[in-house]
Amino acid sequence: MRAQPQFPNEQTGTGEFKRQSDAFRHWVTEDGRSGYPAAAGRYHLYVSLACPWAHRTIIVRALKGLTEVIGMTVVDPIRDDQGWAFHNGPGHSLDTTNGFHFLSEAYRATDPNYHGRVTVPVLWDTVTKRIVTNSDDDLMRIFNGEFNRFTTSRLDLYPAALRPQIDEMNDFVYERVNDGVYRAGFATSQQVYERAARSVFVALDQLDTRLRDRRYLFGAQFVESDWRLFVTLLRFDAVYHGHFKCNLRRIVDYPHLYGYLRDLYQVKGIAETVDFDHIKRHYYVTHDDINPTRIVPIGPQLDLESPHGRDTLS
């Protein structure tokens, strides 16, 4: 008997998970040529602290000093049949920007004929009353470069000299790690699961080797690829190892990846973007086809504040 897929519309007949494309891909630009000019207070970010794709945008917003420029509302980590909801609770709240009860209302306001899955993150424009983009890829780049006149941060996560290499690394990390764990976890056949899970660990082995003699993926300074990888490494032992059955090894078993994870976690402002309660409750409660008891595990205990020793690497 074939298992019930978590997202039937994104499952192939052979049991593979094929993630849907982002629905909205407009761009905020510094000069406004896109129709969405960068402005303080104009845009609002809807996110889940549990979702790795949303977490990337939260991180860049924090690193670039945009927390007072771009507002943010966190959804309830428990997503039910009605989708992402706005409730008051620990680390999440009602939507005071639009009064939405569900994030799906933002999608319908933008496109009344939208029938795909409602996802986070979402960047909402308070002037045109519509979604600008629900692409985390675009939002990382928008936050990195288009709001620079509203922040004192000169950090550049996508430096021109490294862009071809960053793009190549991003593709590798997405295909083999970020989405790889989902392809394993949402697989509905043994063969598909094993192929996806083994591919994840081949990639992690390669990344651990790469990080043996360099502090970050491209040397002494982190770039956007590092944060794309970070959000999956952070969730790996708590969720993907058990819940998604990616259990050949844990991240704590990798000497270089585990130090690298701790190094990034200890960057100023990053720990404040992490909420393991939201992460674990979202996955273990929401994915009831995978975890029908909805029991949330008490572990693992991760000491992400312990010394990493990587600051001596070039």
Side-chain angles (χ1 to χ4, degrees):
M1 181 176 68
R2 185 176 295 278
Q4 175 67 28
Q6 186 67 36
F7 301 116
N9 293 335
E10 297 170 66
Q11 208 81 15
T12 70
T14 57
E16 295 173 292
F17 172 63
K18 296 290 187 181
R19 187 178 299 277
Q20 70 177 23
S21 299
D22 296 320
F24 307 104
R25 297 290 298 270
H26 300 291
W27 201 274
V28 176
T29 52
E30 185 175 18
D31 61 7
R33 67 186 183 280
S34 64
Y36 295 98
R42 173 168 175 165
Y43 302 97
H44 197 81
L45 186 64
Y46 290 117
V47 295
S48 165
L49 300 181
C51 173
W53 321 110
H55 193 185
R56 296 170 171 180
T57 66
I58 299 169
I59 286 171
V60 179
R61 174 178 174 267
L63 290 174
K64 289 291 295 185
L66 296 174
T67 57
E68 301 300 319
V69 177
I70 301 165
M72 187 175 80
T73 300
V74 178
V75 297
D76 191 317
I78 308 302
R79 189 187 64 223
D80 60 18
D81 292 340
Q82 297 185 75
W84 296 109
F86 298 102
H87 299 135
N88 277 327
H92 57 92
S93 70
L94 297 174
D95 172 29
T96 59
T97 297
N98 291 298
F100 293 146
H101 298 288
F102 297 94
L103 188 58
S104 58
E105 296 172 58
Y107 277 70
R108 289 197 300 271
T110 306
D111 180 4
N113 297 314
Y114 182 76
H115 297 295
R117 181 159 55 92
V118 172
T119 63
V120 285
V122 159
L123 187 69
W124 177 264
D125 179 18
T126 63
V127 173
T128 62
K129 305 294 184 182
R130 59 181 291 117
I131 295 172
V132 179
T133 179
N134 70 328
S135 167
D136 61 286
D137 296 318
D138 293 352
L139 283 169
M140 291 183 78
R141 302 274 171 87
I142 290 169
F143 292 172
N144 179 63
E146 303 299 339
F147 286 86
N148 279 343
R149 75 173 184 270
F150 301 102
T151 176
T152 59
S153 171
R154 298 279 73 90
L155 176 68
D156 185 2
L157 297 172
Y158 192 51
L162 287 175
R163 287 179 183 178
Q165 298 97 309
I166 289 173
D167 290 342
E168 183 179 9
M169 177 60 72
N170 289 351
D171 289 343
F172 175 81
V173 168
Y174 173 78
E175 292 291 334
R176 302 288 297 278
V177 182
N178 298 149
D179 203 45
V181 294
Y182 283 87
R183 292 174 191 170
F186 288 164
T188 54
S189 79
Q190 185 72 31
Q191 183 180 23
V192 168
Y193 152 70
E194 289 191 16
R195 182 169 61 246
R198 292 187 188 282
S199 178
V200 168
F201 286 97
V202 171
L204 291 177
D205 292 347
Q206 293 172 353
L207 290 165
D208 190 66
T209 298
R210 181 184 181 94
L211 291 164
R212 178 175 54 197
D213 57 1
R214 65 183 82 191
R215 185 171 184 179
Y216 303 115
L217 290 172
F218 290 96
Q221 177 60 52
F222 54 70
V223 297
E224 96 175 10
S225 305
D226 293 287
W227 299 110
R228 289 171 178 267
L229 178 57
F230 170 80
V231 295
T232 299
L233 298 183
L234 179 79
R235 289 160 174 77
F236 200 94
D237 292 4
V239 174
Y240 305 140
H241 180 270
H243 186 57
F244 279 180
K245 305 178 184 67
C246 293
N247 59 0
L248 283 180
R249 287 174 289 283
R250 303 165 301 167
I251 298 305
V252 297
D253 299 322
Y254 285 98
H256 310 300
L257 277 175
Y258 185 43
Y260 168 80
L261 170 61
R262 302 199 309 278
D263 190 358
L264 289 172
Y265 180 84
Q266 292 171 32
V267 170
K268 184 179 179 181
I270 297 303
E272 290 77 12
T273 72
V274 175
D275 191 317
F276 277 109
D277 174 65
H278 278 224
I279 291 169
K280 293 199 295 182
R281 285 198 294 125
H282 167 69
Y283 283 93
Y284 286 101
V285 176
T286 297
H287 299 160
D288 53 356
D289 290 310
I290 300 174
N291 183 39
T293 66
R294 295 185 172 183
I295 292 174
V296 180
I298 61 173
Q301 290 183 323
L302 297 172
D303 187 7
L304 297 178
E305 296 284 4
S306 61
H308 52 74
R310 296 186 59 80
D311 45 356
T312 61
L313 297 175
S314 63

